[in-house]
Amino acid sequence: IPSPKATEIALAALQNLPMPLIVLSSLKTILLANSAMGRLLGLHHEAGSGQQESVTDVLRGQTLSQIGIDMLQDGVLLPSEI
């Protein structure tokens, strides 16, 4: 049985953190979001559906402003443009 790679273990740890987490690209688009972030945003998986999308699948490529989040630095709103 092959052992999991360190990156796979790290990704699984991030996905299962109880704290909401998103990872942004250099263009400020979402690359990864964990299930706690999905719960915070009210994204619920439908129990009866045959195909379940992960929170990352739903949010990938969107900007923070598209999901209703403003980014602040020292209490000042950062522009959402790149």
Side-chain angles (χ1 to χ4, degrees), residues 17-22 33-44 55 59 64 67-69:
L17 281 174
M19 180 185 341
L21 172 85
I22 53 175
N34 68 359
S35 56
M37 179 57 76
R39 289 189 300 276
L40 179 68
L41 295 174
L43 301 175
H44 302 286
V55 174
L59 297 177
L64 292 177
I67 63 169
I69 296 177

Side-chain angles (χ1 to χ4, degrees), residues 27-28 78-82:
L27 299 176
K28 298 181 186 173
L78 292 177
S80 58
E81 306 88 42
I82 301 165

Side-chain angles (χ1 to χ4, degrees):
I1 300 174
S3 62
K5 296 178 184 176
T7 53
E8 292 171 342
I9 294 170
L11 181 59
L14 290 175
Q15 289 286 8
N16 294 300
L17 281 174
M19 180 185 341
L21 172 85
I22 53 175
V23 177
L24 300 176
S25 72
S26 61
L27 299 176
K28 298 181 186 173
T29 60
I30 297 172
L31 294 175
L32 178 119
N34 68 359
S35 56
M37 179 57 76
R39 289 189 300 276
L40 179 68
L41 295 174
L43 301 175
H44 302 286
H45 295 295
E46 302 211 6
S49 64
Q51 182 181 2
Q52 289 188 356
E53 288 184 303
S54 71
V55 174
T56 295
D57 292 335
V58 172
L59 297 177
R60 184 179 286 123
Q62 295 188 56
T63 63
L64 292 177
S65 61
Q66 288 175 314
I67 63 169
I69 296 177
D70 292 327
M71 194 171 2
L72 303 174
Q73 181 175 359
D74 298 325
V76 178
L77 182 65
L78 292 177
S80 58
E81 306 88 42
I82 301 165

